[in-house]
Structure formats: structure tokens, C-alpha cells
Amino acid sequence: MSTALTPPADAAAPVRHPDAPAPGGLLGAHYDHCFGCGGAQSHGLHLEARAGEGVSLTAEFTVTAAHQGAPGLAHGGVLATALDETLGSLNWLLRVIAVTGRLETDFVRPVPVDTVLFLEAEVTAVAGRKIYSRATGRIGGPQGPVAVRAEALFIEVKVDHFIDNGRPEEIQAAMADPDQARRARAFEVNP
């Protein structure tokens, strides 16, 4: 682990927001057009995350032929995306808007097409605007062999980060959504 991913000595333990989904609850897509979790992306991951205890969650996605790099195997970038999406979803349990600052990924074993990747993630510490987290992806079941793992640093931002940097059409459409929870979640993750 790099020093950038090591929480400082004065970092606090993460605190689950009182309005976070109950353990076992499906988080749902934070944005319908998100490549990681959105339903509107035909070749997206369609990753589904469920709240765990504390500031943790589990997630799953099935590797399809559209996700391959080498013949019959998941592309490493797709696996890193699955880890990033899973880790980013943790911020919904804290109820903060945060973006990926750093993501370090270890590829332990190949992940074949048609495999379900079972992911577990947790926030390990919070220091000011910095959120430290880690995730593990397994194949063959939730207790199967580790295929990928990652550690990440997320940085809390204001919604202005997206307004100032996003494409205006998508920003305006997301902000016009009458569903307050969907509107808030649209801006929860992604750099």
C-alpha cells in the first residue's frame, strides 16, 4: 500500500449516516447512465450493491463477452472499474459526495467471461475530506478465491465539482429530476 493510501494517525473511524440504507438493502444505481451501475448502459457492468454492517457493502456483477480483454477473460480495466464503482458506492453510506482520488488495484487471478465477481468493500478511515477504503473481489462465490483487490482514497467534494466540470445537458437533466433522492445520488461518485 502506498503512503497516499495510509490514513494519518489522527484519522477517525467511519460513521454510518443514520439515513443510510439498512444492512441488506439494495443501493440501486446512483445514476442511470453510469457505466458501473446504471441500467441505461447496454454494455455497462450493471453492478448491484447492498448495504452491509457499519460502513461496508457487498456487490456483484457478471462478466460478459463485452467486458473481455484477452479472449474469454475480463479486461483488467473493467475489473478496476468494478472495484472503483463498489468503493465509490460506500460514500452513499456516509451520505457524502466524493470522487476517486487514488485507486490501487492488485490483479490476483484471471476472471473468465460468464463469471460472477463477488465484491466486498469497507471504509477504513476518514480524515477531513479524505475517505480511505478497500475492496476485495472473489470468484466462485462470496467465499471463493480472491481475484482482485483494491485500496482507494476518495475526496469529498461539493456538487459544484460536477456542475463546473460535467457536460451541461447531463447536469441539467440530473438536477431537474423531481425525485430528490435520485437527484442527490446522481452526484455521489466519479471524478
Side-chain angles (χ1 to χ4, degrees):
M1 178 169 68
S2 76
T3 56
L5 295 174
T6 302
D10 62 346
V15 177
R16 182 190 191 98
H17 193 278
D19 295 331
L26 190 62
L27 298 186
H30 76 89
Y31 178 56
D32 200 36
H33 295 282
C34 173
F35 181 79
C37 65
Q41 293 290 340
S42 61
H43 295 300
L45 304 185
H46 303 160
L47 188 132
E48 292 189 350
R50 292 190 178 279
E53 297 293 331
V55 188
S56 72
L57 59 77
T58 59
E60 295 179 13
F61 98 94
T62 301
V63 177
T64 70
H67 302 137
Q68 64 189 316
L73 297 174
H75 189 288
V78 168
L79 297 175
T81 300
L83 288 161
D84 185 45
E85 183 69 28
T86 301
L87 290 158
S89 295
L90 289 165
N91 298 316
W92 188 239
L93 301 177
L94 297 171
R95 283 296 208 265
V96 298
I97 300 171
V99 296
T100 309
R102 185 175 185 100
L103 175 69
E104 288 191 14
T105 305
D106 295 318
F107 300 96
V108 180
R109 64 177 22 98
V111 179
V113 169
D114 296 327
T115 296
V116 176
L117 188 64
F118 297 88
L119 297 135
E120 295 179 321
E122 68 177 337
V123 174
T124 58
V126 176
R129 295 177 43 226
K130 295 180 177 182
I131 302 163
Y132 298 84
S133 55
R134 64 179 167 222
T136 302
R138 298 173 182 271
I139 57 176
Q143 303 305 315
V146 173
V148 292
R149 62 179 156 250
E151 294 194 39
L153 169 64
F154 283 79
I155 308 297
E156 185 176 349
V157 297
K158 302 293 182 205
V159 75
D160 291 350
H161 169 84
F162 301 95
I163 294 168
D164 294 345
N165 297 291
R167 203 163 67 161
E169 305 87 79
E170 281 86 358
I171 298 296
Q172 290 166 1
M175 292 188 80
D177 191 325
D179 183 313
Q180 185 176 3
R182 273 200 324 250
R183 188 170 58 244
R185 289 220 47 216
F187 298 101
E188 82 174 355
V189 295
N190 298 329

